[in-house]
Amino acid sequence: MRYCNWADNRKASAIVMGCMRIADKPLVQTEQVIVNAMTAGVNMFDLADVYAGGHAERVFGVAIRDLKVPRKNYILQTKCGIRKDQGGKIVRFDFSKDYIINSAEDSLRRLNTEYLDVLLLHRPDTLVEADEVAEAFELLRTSGKVRAFGVSNFSARQMEYLQKAGVEIVTNQMQFSLGHTAPIDAGFNVNMYKEESVTRAGDAMEYCRANGILMQAWSPLQYGFFEGTFLGNEKFPTLNAELDRLAQKYDCTPSAIAFAWILRHPAFTQVVTGTSTPERMAELCKAADIRLTSEEWYSLYLSTGKILP
């Protein structure tokens, strides 16, 4: 398993277990997928306060307690800032000082832990007051409740705005996959009259690389916005043929190759997988030990239908 540097000189696994879907799974299955993940070298787990209304955090907290895993042996990341109504519809974002602090404390209780390794602001709040965020983060840090902070789906300017107020950002979690290449498309098409030249990610990747901010990829096997997986999908015949070819070469699954493609990019040091199947987790972890060549990486990118200028 490949690892990357994290805050406080810790090492975090390249594959991160995303826990969004564990809420409705039997507890024994969640425990087994955690065991399989950690056996394969995964030491980081990603959650959010809105996953199943907080129940995903609660299930993870019970599972990790039952497994008696020492707290120092895993890195725990969760998110806050999205507010939903009772029906589960997003009604607003909230980066107020009190809400950030209360959300972190609620997550600590649900997760049965005394501290969070990383707390992310889940999606940008246009009403954000950077000073409030900085104050909330400092209070959580000095109290020992949160060790490091980051963001999710933020543009370059949105990150810069927070940093000017003294907010230290260690990571930005963004959607990125062979079916969603928005973070890199514009970089290939600067000064071009092409659809791909539109900077939908707001230069986030370039900003993160220039400022030492690690990037995590979510939905690594999806295309569009939760439209489905591209694996085995008849809409992507060329891509799947190339994935199959490389899977045979590296003796792994096409899914692992899709993960390895993300990890081959210097900006993306981690991939968040949402699988809750124990066997699949072990197979996906093989991606961390595969280093695609430059030719293979570009071949996969072009097999999605992209055209280099």
Side-chain angles (χ1 to χ4, degrees):
M1 171 66 70
R2 180 151 47 102
Y3 295 86
C4 62
N5 291 323
W6 200 256
D8 302 327
N9 296 317
R10 286 167 289 163
K11 298 285 186 179
S13 53
I15 306 299
V16 177
M17 179 176 162
C19 301
M20 184 170 67
R21 298 184 178 90
I22 65 173
D24 61 348
K25 299 294 188 297
L27 181 60
V28 65
Q29 182 176 333
T30 296
E31 292 175 350
Q32 190 58 56
V33 74
I34 291 174
V35 169
N36 281 28
M38 298 193 78
T39 300
V42 172
N43 70 348
M44 187 166 180
F45 300 87
D46 174 76
L47 297 109
D49 60 353
V50 293
Y51 293 166
H55 190 53
E57 289 183 328
R58 196 172 293 110
V59 169
F60 182 87
V62 172
I64 206 76
R65 181 196 62 197
D66 290 350
L67 292 170
K68 295 181 171 59
V69 180
R71 183 62 181 87
K72 64 180 181 179
N73 289 1
Y74 62 94
I75 296 173
L76 199 53
Q77 171 177 282
T78 195
K79 315 178 197 71
C80 70
I82 294 178
R83 304 198 71 160
K84 295 183 177 182
D85 61 18
Q86 292 185 344
K89 179 182 178 182
I90 296 175
V91 292
R92 65 187 175 105
F93 302 109
D94 191 345
F95 288 174
S96 63
K97 172 186 168 183
D98 289 343
Y99 188 74
I100 291 173
I101 292 174
N102 291 336
S103 294
E105 291 176 342
D106 288 343
S107 290
L108 289 170
R109 284 190 288 271
R110 289 190 291 262
L111 290 163
N112 290 320
T113 185
E114 294 182 352
Y115 67 92
L116 299 169
D117 293 283
V118 197
L119 177 66
L120 306 185
L121 298 177
H122 207 158
R123 280 191 177 273
D125 176 13
T126 193
L127 300 180
V128 60
E129 298 287 351
D131 290 341
E132 275 202 60
V133 174
E135 189 174 352
F137 282 6
E138 184 60 21
L139 287 170
L140 289 169
R141 188 199 307 274
T142 56
S143 65
K145 294 177 181 178
V146 183
R147 293 187 171 184
F149 302 89
V151 296
S152 181
N153 309 293
F154 273 53
S155 71
R157 293 304 180 194
Q158 289 166 336
M159 286 184 280
E160 185 178 41
Y161 172 65
L162 292 179
Q163 288 182 311
K164 284 186 175 181
V167 175
E168 183 179 355
I169 298 172
V170 300
T171 190
N172 187 8
Q173 188 180 102
M174 298 192 72
Q175 184 177 5
F176 184 54
S177 73
L178 279 162
H180 185 92
T181 57
I184 62 175
D185 289 340
F188 284 126
N189 294 279
V190 174
N191 199 34
M192 301 290 291
Y193 288 109
K194 296 176 63 177
E195 174 70 11
E196 289 81 7
S197 68
V198 178
T199 311
R200 292 180 173 81
D203 291 334
M205 186 191 71
E206 290 81 1
Y207 185 86
C208 286
R209 294 187 74 178
N211 289 275
I213 298 171
L214 303 180
M215 295 195 73
Q216 301 173 351
W218 60 269
S219 283
L221 301 177
Q222 295 278 322
Y223 70 95
F225 188 67
F226 295 111
E227 292 182 44
T229 180
F230 52 78
L231 291 171
N233 192 319
E234 61 183 12
K235 294 181 179 179
F236 306 94
T238 306
L239 171 59
N240 279 286
E242 187 65 3
L243 287 169
D244 290 341
R245 182 183 73 82
L246 292 171
Q248 184 174 13
K249 173 184 175 179
Y250 287 98
D251 190 26
C252 64
T253 63
S255 300
I257 294 297
F259 275 39
W261 181 83
I262 295 172
L263 293 172
R264 179 63 175 82
H265 197 290
F268 284 88
T269 56
Q270 293 179 300
V271 178
V272 181
T273 174
T275 185
S276 56
T277 304
E279 297 77 12
R280 184 165 170 76
M281 172 61 76
E283 180 61 39
L284 289 171
C285 286
K286 294 180 180 179
D289 298 317
I290 298 172
R291 182 172 175 81
L292 299 175
T293 67
S294 175
E295 290 83 0
E296 290 167 343
W297 189 92
Y298 274 99
S299 177
L300 283 165
Y301 179 73
L302 294 175
S303 71
T304 66
K306 302 293 183 181
I307 300 174
L308 296 175

